[in-house]
Amino acid sequence: MEISHEGAPARLRALPTRLVNQVALVANRATERALTATGSRRYHYALLAALGEFGSISQADLGRRTRIDRSDIVATVNELAGRGFVERSPDEGDRRRKIVTITDAGTAHLAELDERLAGAQDELLAGLDPAERAELVRLLTRILDR
């Protein structure tokens, strides 16, 4: 399905909700293209990015920080551990909790994903100059923060 803004009724072209949805479809496609060759998906990137930034944390904290459902966290951590990108260990303070740590291989993979996703951002935002890109990020963040 081709997404086109041209030829759409004026009412649709003027609806921010529709525009955001249409852009999200284009963005998701660009992201998927960028990640496909790596064998990783968005959830993999989100968890590795959180671990890269915050260090070792519990699976529950990973879910809270990334807004990913608990059952998806477990499955994603399992996949990343299977590929050697993270390690799990029992929390010394509460043996029921699992602490997740990014490995050196995970850090290298995260760097590759960062590069690929930077390309996806460039693809998506090709029509915007750096100031416009920054303004778009600012406005989208403002919407999300409300």
Side-chain angles (χ1 to χ4, degrees):
M1 173 183 83
E2 188 66 31
I3 298 173
S4 177
H5 190 62
E6 284 183 34
R11 283 185 171 116
L12 293 179
R13 291 192 319 265
L15 288 173
T17 52
R18 180 178 184 274
L19 294 171
V20 168
N21 280 324
Q22 296 294 293
V23 170
L25 290 171
V26 174
N28 287 335
R29 289 177 185 171
T31 298
E32 293 304 319
R33 279 192 303 277
L35 297 180
T36 295
T38 69
S40 288
R41 297 183 317 278
R42 283 177 281 212
Y43 279 1
H44 295 141
Y45 179 75
L47 295 191
L48 290 173
L51 292 168
E53 185 170 334
F54 303 117
S56 301
I57 56 177
S58 71
Q59 287 185 184
D61 285 340
L62 271 175
R64 282 188 283 279
R65 290 189 182 265
T66 59
R67 307 288 191 262
I68 297 173
D69 184 77
R70 183 182 312 192
S71 63
D72 292 327
I73 289 289
V74 171
T76 305
V77 168
N78 287 342
E79 292 167 359
L80 291 171
R83 295 176 69 189
F85 295 149
V86 301
E87 294 175 342
R88 264 182 305 224
S89 59
D91 183 341
E92 295 300 321
D94 182 350
R95 306 292 279 171
R96 296 169 296 171
R97 287 181 10 151
K98 298 292 184 202
I99 299 298
V100 183
T101 304
I102 192 169
T103 64
D104 289 343
T107 299
H109 188 63
L110 176 59
E112 177 187 2
L113 297 179
D114 280 337
E115 247 181 69
R116 289 176 172 273
L117 288 172
Q121 306 319 296
D122 288 342
E123 177 185 330
L124 176 68
L125 304 174
L128 302 178
D129 65 37
E132 290 170 325
R133 289 179 184 204
E135 180 66 3
L136 177 62
V137 169
R138 187 188 73 74
L139 291 171
L140 291 172
T141 300
R142 188 168 159 195
I143 291 168
L144 287 174
D145 285 349
R146 287 204 68 185

